[in-house]
Amino acid sequence: MKFNSKRTLLIGLAFMSISAFWQMYDTIIPLILKDTFYMKETITGVIMAADNVLALFLLPFFGALSDKIDTRIGKRMPFILVGTTLSVIFLMILPVADKSQNLVLFVVTLFMLLISLGLYRSPAVALMPDLTPKPLRSKGNAIINLMGAVGGVYALIMIKTLVGNGLRPDYTPLFLSIAGLMVICVLILFSTIKEKKLRLVIEEDDATIADGPKSTADLPKDVKKSLLFLLASISLWFIAYNAVTTAFSRYATHVWEIQNGAYANSLIVSTVCAIISYIPIGLISSKIGRKKTILIGVSMLILCYLCAGFYGTYHFTMNIFFGLIGFAWAAINVNSLPMVVEISTASDVGRYTGYYYTFSMAAQVVTPILSGFLLEHVSYHTLFPYAVLFSGLAFITMLFVKHGDSKPEKKETVLDHFDVED
């Protein structure tokens, strides 16, 4: 059984385009809401939380729906094609609404855009395990995550290059660059990946293993306690990290007075450092364990957020802090989901993965609203102390986690170290 890296790279194009969109969305949409429609930070936070609220319902629904259908072009491809088409259409209406300052058009279009993304996000992610033999899915997942990182970097470069001068720049070139990437990626995917034909080949290779389900009620009391503290930690560090990523563009322009999309520099540094950190983090985890690696990552987040909060103006050293944040976030992400899954049995992996996403996405619903309220009614300077507080709480709850910390086996290849969930 041989791993087909070319096929997996092509499958990853859909995830790359999705990641590019979300990077642009988190960075630019808050600025439009603030500078074009003069929305207060709390309302901006509510709108920025809408995608996560919708995701809690849309992702499992359309993922399950794509499991049940079967068309001439496959199970997932119809959702990917229709979802991408609708997303691109609504995406290109947004700059029109921005320039005309039409709030109703902007909000309605944004809502429809989020639904369109939700329509095909789960099917796009499910395509890789569908078309990759079970023993090789770790390598497949590594490539998918790397493709997503490339999409995020692409969006940041486009922001830096295409966002013009002034308080209300014309975002049309930027939105066009993201829409163009989405179209090109999906056209290449559709023309090169014959989903239905490949699925039949993969299904012949895979052996189905079905164990009896195991409920969390069956877990020993101490194991359940560890699981609950671990899930609480996941929510807390997502509350801290998502607040910074969602509000950073506004913070940088308001407090540090950075213009022309130059705030993207720090985000690019953070993303690149996260990518190149996967290998050393994998090696560290294999030696000292997952829990200690996560605690090191959370400690680094606390230190970097604390230092960033003391800067009244932008300084080049901020890129060093954001590079360390990228390393720290990778250390957390590489190890947190495996710790959750470690508590499960083979038949429960999907259920426990669901626990992980439920707690992480619920945090991303709460934090834009809560942090936005503080930005509006207290001060922009509350952003980094807010992140320090919740990172500190995550460190404390993580100390009570006593299970799921088996040291990972040493990876056979370099690529295996990149096997993390998005």
Side-chain angles (χ1 to χ4, degrees):
M1 195 177 296
K2 187 178 180 181
F3 180 67
N4 192 321
S5 57
K6 178 181 178 182
R7 179 201 300 165
T8 310
L9 282 168
L10 293 170
I11 293 172
L13 288 171
F15 189 63
M16 183 174 79
S17 68
I18 292 172
S19 297
F21 168 83
W22 286 115
Q23 182 65 68
M24 181 276 297
Y25 175 88
D26 286 339
T27 305
I28 299 300
I29 297 302
L31 289 177
I32 294 177
L33 294 174
K34 174 179 177 291
D35 297 333
T36 299
F37 300 109
Y38 308 106
M39 288 190 177
K40 301 296 184 179
E41 297 296 345
T42 304
I43 300 300
T44 297
V46 170
I47 294 177
M48 292 306 296
D51 66 293
N52 294 306
V53 175
L54 289 172
L56 289 173
F57 302 96
L58 295 179
L59 299 191
F61 175 77
F62 285 113
L65 184 61
S66 67
D67 284 333
K68 298 176 181 178
I69 73 163
D70 191 12
T71 71
R72 183 175 57 85
I73 60 175
K75 292 177 175 288
R76 319 295 183 185
M77 202 64 74
F79 290 88
I80 295 173
L81 293 176
V82 173
T84 302
T85 301
L86 292 175
S87 297
V88 167
I89 292 172
F90 290 123
L91 180 61
M92 293 314 301
I93 295 176
L94 285 182
V96 176
D98 173 42
K99 287 194 286 188
S100 62
Q101 294 184 282
N102 189 327
L103 179 59
V104 174
L105 177 62
F106 187 87
V107 172
V108 171
T109 301
L110 190 64
F111 181 75
M112 297 305 298
L113 175 59
L114 294 176
I115 291 178
S116 301
L117 261 293
L119 189 153
Y120 80 100
R121 189 174 173 185
S122 287
V125 172
L127 191 60
M128 185 280 290
D130 283 348
L131 304 183
T132 305
K134 289 181 180 179
L136 303 176
R137 287 176 182 170
S138 290
K139 290 183 179 180
N141 195 43
I143 289 181
I144 297 301
N145 278 277
L146 287 174
M147 294 290 282
V150 170
V153 172
Y154 169 85
L156 290 171
I157 293 173
M158 291 300 102
I159 290 170
K160 178 175 174 56
T161 304
L162 300 177
V163 173
N165 298 321
L167 184 62
R168 290 186 54 221
D170 182 3
Y171 291 112
T172 303
L174 173 62
F175 281 59
L176 186 61
S177 71
I178 302 299
L181 177 69
M182 295 170 72
V183 171
I184 292 171
C185 285
V186 172
L187 286 178
I188 295 174
L189 173 67
F190 180 68
S191 63
T192 56
I193 300 298
K194 306 305 177 184
E195 180 190 344
K196 192 161 188 176
K197 180 180 177 181
L198 288 171
R199 184 190 298 275
L200 294 175
V201 175
I202 299 302
E203 288 177 352
E204 290 178 359
D205 291 338
D206 279 341
T208 302
I209 301 175
D211 298 327
K214 177 182 176 183
S215 168
T216 36
D218 299 327
L219 290 176
K221 187 176 180 179
D222 59 333
V223 178
K224 186 185 293 187
K225 180 180 177 181
S226 282
L227 176 63
L228 292 176
F229 274 114
L230 178 56
L231 293 173
S233 301
I234 290 167
S235 285
L236 289 167
W237 60 55
F238 265 100
I239 287 174
Y241 183 79
N242 188 253
V244 174
T245 56
T246 302
F248 182 70
S249 59
R250 287 169 288 162
Y251 183 93
T253 55
H254 183 86
V255 176
W256 293 337
E257 299 181 348
I258 298 177
Q259 302 297 326
N260 307 328
Y263 47 78
N265 286 338
S266 295
L267 299 178
I268 292 173
V269 169
S270 181
T271 303
V272 171
C273 285
I275 293 172
I276 64 178
S277 296
Y278 291 141
I279 294 175
I281 286 170
L283 295 173
I284 292 170
S285 301
S286 66
K287 292 183 180 296
I288 68 173
R290 295 167 180 158
K291 178 179 174 179
K292 287 183 180 178
T293 306
I294 288 176
L295 288 174
I296 290 172
V298 176
S299 299
M300 291 177 65
L301 285 184
I302 294 172
L303 179 62
C304 291
Y305 290 149
L306 188 63
C307 291
F310 282 107
Y311 279 74
T313 58
Y314 177 79
H315 191 273
F316 177 77
T317 53
M318 193 59 58
N319 291 327
I320 297 175
F321 293 133
F322 271 83
L324 292 174
I325 288 172
F327 178 89
W329 190 242
I332 293 169
N333 270 346
V334 164
N335 293 287
S336 54
L337 180 60
M339 286 193 73
V340 174
V341 174
E342 185 76 23
I343 297 174
S344 72
T345 63
S347 62
D348 288 323
V349 172
R351 178 186 300 175
Y352 281 73
T353 302
Y355 294 156
Y356 174 89
Y357 281 113
T358 297
F359 277 78
S360 63
M361 298 198 75
Q364 295 175 75
V365 171
V366 172
T367 196
I369 300 172
L370 180 57
S371 62
F373 178 86
L374 293 174
L375 292 175
E376 176 184 345
H377 296 286
V378 182
S379 168
Y380 271 90
H381 293 282
T382 61
L383 178 62
F384 287 111
Y386 174 95
V388 169
L389 172 63
F390 284 98
S391 297
L393 292 174
F395 185 91
I396 294 171
T397 55
M398 198 63 203
L399 292 175
F400 293 94
V401 177
K402 307 299 182 183
H403 297 82
D405 191 28
S406 62
K407 294 181 181 179
E409 294 181 1
K410 196 170 183 179
K411 305 297 184 180
E412 294 181 0
T413 66
V414 168
L415 185 60
D416 289 333
H417 288 291
F418 290 84
D419 181 28
V420 295
E421 292 290 338
D422 173 66

